[in-house]
Amino acid sequence: MNVSVVVFTSDLRLHDHPPLRAALDGSRPVAPVFVRDPAVDRAGFAAPNRLAFLADCLRDLDAGLRERGGRLIVRHGDTVEEVCKVAAEADADEVHLAAEAGAFAHRRERRLRRALETEGRRLHVHDTVTTAVPPGAVTPASSDHFAVFTPYFRHWSQQPLRDALAAPRVVRVPDGIGSAQLPSRNGTARLSAGLAPGGETEGRRRMAEWLRSGAESYEDRHDDLAGDATSRLSPHLHFGTVSPVELVHRARRGGGPGAEAFVRQLAWRDFHRQVLAARQDVARSDYRTRHDRWRSGPSAEADAEAWKEGRTGYPIVDAAMRQLLHEGWMHNRGRLLTASFLTKTLYIDWRVGARHFLDWLVDGDIANNQLNWQWMAGTGTDTRPNRVLNPLAQAKRSDPDGAYVRRWVPELSGVRGAEVHEPWKLSGARRAALSYPDPVVDLPEGLARFKQARGLD
């Protein structure tokens, strides 16, 4: 019988998986393979939190396949070489793979296609596996991609989505194909203590709970830092344990302003991927240069370290940075205000912040991470490149009574109410009793420095 290979990458699920369903083509035997490629480590993408979450995902995927009569084949090495080996061992005539937007994925796809063609095998690449609308599906008349989100979202919203696919009931895997052991998160160094579990089972549980009881209030509460009123599905979207197509369909069926606001956030993921697909250099270079001469030297390095460790002296910034270190995740409002603080108040290169986020975020994603950082730095797609988020104003809006700060900055747990956001204003004895640093910079000083650097003064 003809055999197919399906290569899992950032799509670690069985529900709504077009490559797997096409590989099965009814009842064909299939070799499901995941390759742990050392090139990912060399490129700096193998952060401990993501490796631990990945281990959870692979174990859950293997368990799901075994429930259906199959198993996951795990290999270590170059993806192209290992997939070709599996295809030869299975005597497969075709290989199925999900399309992805980044330069690494594009190079891998081109190499794999050439190698398989040399062996007389076909590669099928499937869209709408990691996105709801694929990059390039909607474009303006004068460009290969949309550079502004609002017109993109208008077109994106008009695109018909394919139907979500059910998980297969049976998966038959040929005998005799070797597999490495499944990885485990146990023993992973530098792991965030509060890292959430991964895997499709957990992703689908969280998705169902969110759509049932969280999405309705999302429009009103999505910036509530202490209320933690977001879906927390970003790690599952990053690893593909939840389908963006299915998530959009289900959110729209629920309806209402909250669901609409949530779908808009899902569209931002696709927006960033279509930018990255068209301009792959934005992972490292400014999308729109502002000719910044970012601060460097000992003073800037000390400020950057204080920012990374959550000891800038601005409690709302420090709370968000400490949440990142503890959970490997940060509330979206926290991501925006900490990025603004680093790039515009401290005037430090966005790449410093983007690298730190990639080192810790379980949902660390080149398209979303780099382009959101550029958006806040004013070098990306933001139509207001010089906007600055004042951390005190942000605190009063998103954490008015200081509950979020007290949760993550225990030195300030005894400071009641909104006073917690400006501890330097406390009376002498109260301030002296706190083991908490003074601000690394006065906000007016930081704003003046940024305006001068950008030629706005």
Side-chain angles (χ1 to χ4, degrees), residues 221-235:
R221 300 189 61 210
H222 67 274
D223 284 338
D224 180 358
L225 285 165
D228 197 14
T230 63
S231 73
R232 286 185 174 252
L233 285 170
S234 56

Side-chain angles (χ1 to χ4, degrees), residues 194 225-226 228 232 309-310 315-329 331 399 402-413 436:
L225 285 165
D228 197 14
R232 286 185 174 252
E309 295 172 8
I316 196 70
V317 173
D318 294 343
M321 296 305 296
R322 295 186 195 188
Q323 181 183 28
L324 171 64
L325 297 180
H326 181 78
E327 294 189 351
W329 184 87
H331 192 289
D399 189 32
Y404 179 74
V405 164
R406 281 186 289 274
R407 181 184 306 162
W408 293 109
V409 186
E411 308 96 295
L412 302 178
S413 60
Y436 184 72

Side-chain angles (χ1 to χ4, degrees), residues 27 38 52 86 115 129 132 146 175 263-264 267 289 310 380 384 391 395 428 442 446 454:
S27 60
V86 170
V129 182
F146 279 95
D175 295 330
V263 168
R264 184 180 177 89
T289 184
R384 293 171 53 199
D442 290 333
R454 287 272 172 99

